[in-house]
Amino acid sequence: MSVFERYLTLWVALCIVAGIALGHFIPGVFQAIGAAEYAQVNIPMAVLIWLMIIPMLLRIDFASLRTVGAYWRGIGVTLFINWAIKPFSMALLGWVFVGWLFRPYLPAIQIDSYIAGLIILAAAPCTAMVFVWSNLTKGEPHFTLSQVALNDAIMVVAFAPIVGLLLGLSAITVPWDTLIISVVLYIIVPVIIAQIIRRWLLANGGKAAFDRLVGILQPLSLVALLTTLVMLFGFQGKQIIAQPLVIALLAVPILIQVYFNSGLAYLLNRISGEQHCVAGPSALIGASNFFELAVAAAISLFGFNSGAALATVVGVLIEVPVMLSVVWIVNRSKNWYERGAAVQNVQKAERAI
């Protein structure tokens, strides 16, 4: 990890302070930014989000989908966690904590919006940062690449229906036209642009030219993310000052969801007899989120001032320290994991005989 990535939580915290201060002293600037819309799309935000997302998607090689079958157990576990467990478990945690336990301590007008933000966050599996987490666990790089490519392909068709379904179950009005526009604008179009750039660079400049461009764009992507956060907190500042516990309370269901899903993925891989170098990234992919997309979708659907936007930003705030703790658990438990996986493989061999 670069120094910038390693201290992402610190930069996010500083952006919170800067955004709240700027929103207080120069509110007119933020109002002008919020008004710069065309067809319900905020133009400055759209530019920032493309700068965030496209460098992430450049790393994805959809040709790696050819190797999916080689890691079918790990792939199956991760898909099960990402698409059958994670969004629904987050919706349940949102209803329990935000909708019930914490309701007296949160602004009543934003309760549904907070739950919507948590759902959107969980419905977008992580992409770029997973490569960092996988490397820290000595994960199988081909598995990580093929799994991320597969998740991105599924996200194109599954993100909108899952978000729409869970928002509907939560009795939250689903602006379907805006949701579809968000999927096209922030998933489909960036994927196409990133793949065109990737193929052109590799064909004309080779791997060295591709690596140089990624190295240039990666810091730009993080700067765009931090600029987005300053803007968000410029709009959210009054609410946060009035309710300073909001961020801590929203972090509770996110933390529970991360440890539950990563632990379940890790355990299921162990039961299936999968290698540790696959189980580690599988657990990490199952736990982390594509927070750039989540922030974009929340802003598009509910606006800068919404609780949904704030809930997705809390996911950004805790991403690095929480995922590093999952990496630590995966690395420290390797011997325990491999003993169990070896037993499972022996039992399978005996049954086959």
Side-chain angles (χ1 to χ4, degrees):
M1 298 177 71
S2 67
V3 173
F4 208 44
E5 292 170 329
R6 189 177 300 119
Y7 294 102
L8 179 60
T9 297
L10 173 60
W11 311 138
V12 172
L14 291 175
C15 286
I16 292 174
V17 175
I20 292 173
L22 291 172
H24 177 75
F25 290 110
I26 50 173
V29 173
F30 289 90
Q31 291 170 7
I33 293 172
E37 290 187 349
Y38 179 78
Q40 293 184 308
V41 175
N42 184 271
I43 304 304
M45 185 57 63
V47 172
L48 286 171
I49 289 166
W50 275 32
L51 289 175
M52 280 192 279
I53 292 176
I54 290 177
M56 308 288 184
L57 295 176
L58 279 173
R59 297 170 178 254
I60 309 303
D61 180 11
F62 286 101
S64 65
L65 291 175
R66 293 192 297 264
T67 66
V68 162
Y71 313 101
W72 64 271
R73 288 175 294 187
I75 293 285
V77 167
T78 315
L79 290 179
F80 174 68
I81 296 296
N82 278 157
W83 300 107
I85 299 295
K86 187 177 177 184
F88 300 92
S89 64
M90 180 61 98
L92 177 60
L93 290 168
W95 296 331
V96 170
F97 285 94
V98 176
W100 178 43
L101 289 176
F102 298 157
R103 179 178 285 271
Y105 311 104
L106 296 169
I109 196 172
Q110 293 283 15
I111 295 294
D112 286 346
S113 189
Y114 291 142
I115 295 173
L118 295 175
I119 290 170
I120 292 169
L121 184 68
C126 190
T127 54
M129 288 296 282
V130 162
F131 295 109
V132 175
W133 313 136
S134 177
N135 186 55
L136 292 175
T137 61
K138 297 182 174 61
E140 168 53 58
H142 296 96
F143 164 78
T144 304
L145 183 58
S146 58
Q147 179 68 75
V148 170
L150 184 58
N151 268 340
D152 276 15
I154 293 173
M155 194 156 43
V156 170
V157 296
F159 180 77
I162 287 177
V163 170
L165 170 66
L166 290 175
L167 292 184
L169 291 176
S170 303
I172 299 169
T173 302
V174 183
W176 278 102
D177 54 345
T178 308
L179 181 56
I180 298 302
I181 289 172
S182 296
V183 170
V184 172
L185 194 61
Y186 301 128
I187 301 179
I188 296 176
V189 173
V191 164
I192 293 172
I193 292 174
Q195 290 304 303
I196 290 173
I197 294 173
R198 177 188 175 88
R199 294 186 180 186
W200 184 87
L201 270 177
L202 291 174
N204 293 276
K207 185 70 163 53
F210 175 78
D211 289 341
R212 280 196 301 272
L213 181 64
V214 170
I216 292 170
L217 292 181
Q218 189 64 31
L220 180 62
S221 174
L222 289 172
V223 169
L225 171 64
L226 298 179
T227 304
T228 302
L229 298 185
V230 171
M231 291 172 59
L232 279 173
F233 283 99
F235 285 99
Q236 297 274 355
K238 290 182 179 178
Q239 293 184 45
I240 294 169
I241 291 172
Q243 297 278 343
L245 283 177
V246 167
I247 292 177
L249 295 179
L250 290 176
V252 172
I254 297 174
L255 287 169
I256 294 173
Q257 185 246 12
V258 167
Y259 290 118
F260 169 73
N261 286 307
S262 59
L264 181 60
Y266 197 52
L267 182 60
L268 290 176
N269 275 290
R270 186 177 190 258
I271 292 172
S272 72
E274 187 57 271
Q275 303 173 75
H276 185 266
C277 63
V278 169
S282 174
L284 293 160
I285 295 170
S288 54
N289 305 295
F290 190 177
F291 51 74
E292 295 89 352
L293 172 62
V295 170
I299 292 170
S300 296
L301 293 172
F302 299 99
F304 285 105
N305 292 310
S306 66
L310 180 60
T312 57
V313 169
V314 175
V316 185
L317 179 64
I318 66 175
E319 172 85 5
V320 172
V322 174
M323 293 310 299
L324 285 175
S325 72
V326 175
V327 167
W328 183 85
I329 293 169
V330 167
N331 287 336
R332 289 296 297 268
S333 63
K334 183 176 180 181
N335 290 336
W336 167 84
Y337 180 94
E338 291 183 337
R339 285 197 301 270
V343 170
Q344 293 294 331
N345 287 328
V346 168
Q347 291 175 347
K348 288 178 182 178
E350 291 174 346
R351 285 196 294 270
I353 294 172

